[in-house]
Amino acid sequence: MNRKIFITLFIATVITMTGLGIIDPILPLYAKSMKATGIQLGIIFAGFALSRSIFAPFVGQYSDRHGRKNLMIAGLVLFTAVSVCFVYAKSPLVLTLVRLLQGFAVVLVTPVAQAYIGDLTPVGKEGKYMNLFFMSFFAGMAIGPYLGGYLTDRFNIRTPFYTMGGMSLTVLVLVIFLVPESFAVKRDDEERIPFFKSLLPVFKDKPMIGIMTYMATRGFYRWGFNTFFPLLAIKAEKMSPAGIGLVLSIYMLFGSILQYPFGLMADRFPSQKVNIILAGGSCSALSMCAVAYSRSMLMFVILAISMGAFSSLSRASVLTIRTERGRIYGMGSVTGAFTTSLSIGQVLGPILFGVIADIYSIPVAFLVGGLVGLTGTIVSCIFFK
């Protein structure tokens, strides 16, 4: 493992995800200030994931064939520009278009960085290094929401968007000067295989179907939570943006700090991976169901800790399986499929949460989301078996 590259990409990912998470507590409020309905709010959040679901497999495989560094640079340039565009969005439609562009920018950066780390990971150490690196995602997402809420309370609702742009510009400099190019090991027949056809084995592989099922349903309820929790918290507890950001940060914090020890567990007990995924995924989804019945800050914090901890328990084993399959099909291709499945859930979750919230109520949407997550966990474990 090249420590210099690992540390650079770790720091770069923390900064990127902090910038991305910084708008989580205020984007629903920002959209509501434009008179967005529940469905429109769901579409705004889904727009980000829609771009990722469409482009992730192709970007991943392109990086396997043509290198990873230039894609990350292009994505960071676009991400910086899009951050400023949020400030000038004046309607739900324009905000949706900006989110579509932001999703495309991010898919050029984070999945490619994961594939890069996969290239460097030694055999038998997948749990250790991939989960250590994945801590960067949740560390950034833990810092971001509280920082965004604080900046909004201290200054105004536009400040987090400018901060997000400044952070992505910082990452751009790090990648340009400290990260060398990386290529996957090519098969002899790779250039003769049509681009689309070469992706089919990834989507037919049973362990990959299990991974994609798990990630799609998890993306469904987690993105629905991120979209509608601020509105639920304001209604139930009259929480400030800083308070909302604190709960979201706690959720991500426990998802981050436990990722590495659970990754070591996955390496030490490889025969128990499926049972670990079933236990962690089920408990996380049931915690989501309980959010529907919570009406106090204390309960929101307890359930945020529960969701974060149990999610990291199951995700640690999922990541080790993903890295193992990446050595067969290509890290970029497998990471792209992983990101696409997550993004499909992130597209459907906010939209269906919005429909249910408009027809019934936000708590009912949370209950449905948790049940979807529970079902997805069980089905994915059938494919892993």
Side-chain angles (χ1 to χ4, degrees), residues 147-160:
L147 179 60
Y150 171 79
L151 290 174
T152 300
D153 284 350
R154 181 70 176 80
F155 300 101
N156 58 62
I157 202 168
R158 292 179 174 83
T159 303

Side-chain angles (χ1 to χ4, degrees), residues 40-322:
Q40 286 176 325
L41 179 59
I43 292 172
I44 289 167
F45 268 76
F48 173 85
L50 179 62
S51 291
R52 296 204 308 172
S53 65
I54 293 172
F55 294 109
F58 308 109
V59 169
Q61 190 177 85
Y62 184 92
S63 75
D64 281 343
R65 295 187 177 193
H66 302 288
R68 312 202 195 280
K69 180 175 180 176
N70 288 336
L71 283 174
M72 287 190 283
I73 290 173
L76 289 165
V77 170
L78 180 58
F79 192 93
T80 303
V82 167
S83 300
V84 179
C85 291
F86 276 102
V87 178
Y88 298 97
K90 302 300 181 185
S91 70
L93 175 60
V94 176
L95 200 55
T96 301
L97 295 175
V98 174
R99 288 285 282 176
L100 284 166
L101 285 174
Q102 187 185 38
F104 178 65
V106 170
V107 87
L108 295 173
V109 182
T110 54
V112 177
Q114 290 181 64
Y116 201 131
I117 297 299
D119 297 338
L120 302 176
T121 300
V123 175
K125 300 293 183 180
E126 296 87 1
K128 177 180 179 179
Y129 287 109
M130 288 307 300
N131 283 283
L132 179 60
F133 180 72
F134 224 76
M135 287 178 66
S136 64
F137 286 82
F138 290 92
M141 292 298 287
I143 297 167
Y146 181 71
L147 179 60
Y150 171 79
L151 290 174
T152 300
D153 284 350
R154 181 70 176 80
F155 300 101
N156 58 62
I157 202 168
R158 292 179 174 83
T159 303
F161 298 116
Y162 287 120
T163 305
M164 179 170 60
M167 288 181 168
S168 59
L169 190 61
T170 302
V171 175
L172 175 62
V173 174
L174 287 175
V175 171
I176 290 174
F177 291 105
L178 297 178
V179 177
E181 185 55 274
S182 172
F183 294 89
V185 177
K186 293 185 179 182
R187 300 188 302 269
D188 293 337
D189 62 345
E190 187 178 68
E191 295 299 335
R192 296 195 296 271
I193 301 175
F195 192 78
F196 287 92
K197 188 175 181 180
S198 63
L199 284 172
L200 291 179
V202 176
F203 290 93
K204 290 182 178 180
D205 182 76
K206 284 189 176 181
M208 282 303 302
I209 294 174
I211 289 172
M212 291 185 288
T213 301
Y214 175 86
M215 295 309 300
T217 51
R218 184 179 175 280
F220 180 94
Y221 76 80
R222 184 193 149 195
W223 215 246
F225 175 84
N226 286 1
T227 307
F228 286 92
F229 175 73
L231 304 182
L232 178 67
I234 286 176
K235 183 176 180 181
E237 204 39 32
K238 293 185 171 35
M239 291 169 61
S240 68
I244 294 168
L246 178 62
V247 173
L248 294 176
S249 290
I250 289 172
Y251 176 22
M252 297 300 173
L253 175 64
F254 278 83
S256 173
I257 60 177
L258 295 175
Q259 195 71 51
Y260 181 64
F262 286 149
L264 295 178
M265 181 192 298
D267 282 343
R268 186 171 182 180
F269 305 103
S271 63
Q272 298 300 315
K273 288 176 186 174
V274 177
N275 293 331
I276 291 171
I277 293 169
L278 180 62
S282 298
C283 291
S284 177
L286 291 173
S287 299
M288 173 71 170
C289 291
V291 172
Y293 301 99
S294 301
R295 294 294 181 273
S296 71
M297 178 71 170
L298 177 60
M299 281 305 301
F300 286 142
V301 169
I302 291 172
L303 291 172
I305 292 171
S306 177
M307 284 192 292
F310 285 116
S311 290
S312 64
L313 175 63
S314 56
R315 186 173 54 245
S317 290
V318 170
L319 288 173
T320 61
I321 297 172
R322 188 194 74 178

